[in-house]
Amino acid sequence: MDFSTYFLMDEVAVAQYAREKIDKFNGNQLSVTEIGDGNLNYVFRVSDGEQSVIIKHSGVTARISDEFVLSTDRTIREGRLIEAHSRYVPDQLPEIISIDLVMKCVVMEDLKDYAILRTALQQGDICPHLGKSLGHYLSETLIRTSDFVLPAKEKKSLQKEMINPELCEITEDLVYTEPFYNNFSRNEISSELELFVEKYIYGDASLKAAVAQAKLKFLNKAESLIHGDLHSGSIFIKKDGLKVIDPEFGFFGPAGYDVGNVIAHLFFAYANAQASGREEQAIWLKSVVDEILATFREEALTILTENTYDIALRDTALFAAFITEIERDAYIVAGLELIRRIVGLAKVSDITQLHAERVNTEKKLLTFAKFLIQHPDKVRIYSSLFKIYEAGEEQVA
Ligand code: ADP
Ligand code: MG
């Protein structure tokens, strides 16, 4: 086999590739398993019995469907984005071993000692460092890639490399348009939820006006190098740390996108814990969200204060306003993410696993999501986002 021209590798090809290309395997016999569970790419675990690596590889179409044609360069961009963020939080990302521009694959550290956050949470795990770790990840990656800290020319050069029109288009459609318009009839709603969605989502013109503003921001606000898909399936955790994977949707976009995304998925986890009677975990999950926001604000302010390189931007009031706007964007994005995962086609198992409580949970989350999108400025009146969630329809008054 020849790896000088691209082809879609299977397990046999990956074994030979790894034997030839990865030094640490020294030409040893290797076992390869495809472990991908995502929609788009192939993820291979390669092992010689002692050491192992992960090879993420992209095809010209999506893993789930040949109808989705996407540039194979997405994996290259993902590898580079991980490298870019690793400048700030090396411990919170997988180590990148190599990036192959020809074979369109990234060789990275195997996170076999970690668990996927969504799975761990559904099993009832409590992970005390989670809020602080995520707040730290968010402030470091988002603030240090903003115009305050990253020199303008460096930012623009990275921006050029990270431009991501195809995957952004997926977000633009699946997060910002289809859940509200169902223009391709791709939304998936149970019959019990249908009337509710028709009335309160499709039928709410003022909600759609707020979404329009948010969409415009997603399209034109090149604020920070964002992950772009920071859900609980993209976060690996263990007792004393976490690692973030799969920033395939990343680009220079609104910083609040990542913050809001992860908060939405913690609400799904909370709803799952509550509906499944895991009280203690539910209480802990509330504190995680509060801690993410508090840590983010505190660390963001420190980074801005200590690292703003441009004297003309060194203004305490500007720092505070910048962070407040990210938080505001985050509330809106959290609302959008909740809606798109309930109404749109890409569901989360935290919700689909539920039985009797599913519809009521969905309605409660949708009501909360609408509040976040329409009244982001009212959030600070409440001491915690959960107060708004628990208040249900009362909050709108
Ligand atoms: P996709 O882009 O197709 O969504 P992901 O990057 O999410 O692919 O990876 C799919 C799955 O492969 C993950 O859910 C995880 O189980 C596994 N995986 C991905 N990267 C690693 C890694 N570095 N170490 C261990 N497992 C990984
Ligand atoms: Mg994935």
Side-chain angles (χ1 to χ4, degrees), residues 179-225:
F180 304 92
Y181 292 89
N182 199 24
N183 49 343
F184 294 107
S185 305
R186 282 201 276 191
N187 290 345
E188 284 175 18
I189 313 151
S190 66
S191 53
E192 298 110 295
L193 196 64
E194 218 171 281
L195 279 178
F196 187 93
V197 170
E198 271 166 21
K199 181 161 176 202
Y200 295 108
I201 307 284
Y202 303 157
D204 187 337
S206 74
L207 174 68
K208 287 165 153 176
V211 174
Q213 283 188 25
K215 180 165 188 175
L216 190 59
K217 206 169 229 184
F218 184 80
L219 287 162
N220 69 23
K221 194 168 186 179
E223 190 166 56
S224 300
L225 182 57

Side-chain angles (χ1 to χ4, degrees), residues 153-255:
K153 277 156 91 181
E154 220 180 297
K155 183 189 165 198
K156 288 175 177 74
S157 137
L158 191 56
Q159 213 177 339
K160 195 161 123 189
E161 204 182 342
M162 292 296 147
I163 193 117
N164 196 355
E166 289 178 344
L167 290 153
C168 282
E169 185 183 38
I170 297 179
T171 307
E172 289 149 19
D173 290 344
L174 295 192
V175 177
Y176 290 91
T177 306
E178 293 193 28
F180 304 92
Y181 292 89
N182 199 24
N183 49 343
F184 294 107
S185 305
R186 282 201 276 191
N187 290 345
E188 284 175 18
I189 313 151
S190 66
S191 53
E192 298 110 295
L193 196 64
E194 218 171 281
L195 279 178
F196 187 93
V197 170
E198 271 166 21
K199 181 161 176 202
Y200 295 108
I201 307 284
Y202 303 157
D204 187 337
S206 74
L207 174 68
K208 287 165 153 176
V211 174
Q213 283 188 25
K215 180 165 188 175
L216 190 59
K217 206 169 229 184
F218 184 80
L219 287 162
N220 69 23
K221 194 168 186 179
E223 190 166 56
S224 300
L225 182 57
I226 69 171
H227 177 286
D229 193 22
L230 191 61
H231 59 82
S232 44
S234 302
I235 300 167
F236 267 109
I237 52 152
K238 64 176 184 175
K239 233 185 171 143
D240 55 357
L242 64 77
K243 296 230 185 204
V244 173
I245 62 160
D246 200 15
E248 187 175 23
F249 286 81
F251 71 112
F252 272 88

Side-chain angles (χ1 to χ4, degrees), residues 323-348:
I323 297 170
T324 301
E325 172 132 2
I326 294 175
E327 290 166 345
R328 186 182 185 278
D329 290 350
Y331 302 143
I332 296 171
V333 169
L336 288 159
E337 181 70 10
L338 289 167
I339 292 179
R340 78 105 163 189
R341 296 287 186 170
I342 294 171
V343 174
L345 77 172
K347 306 286 190 217
V348 290

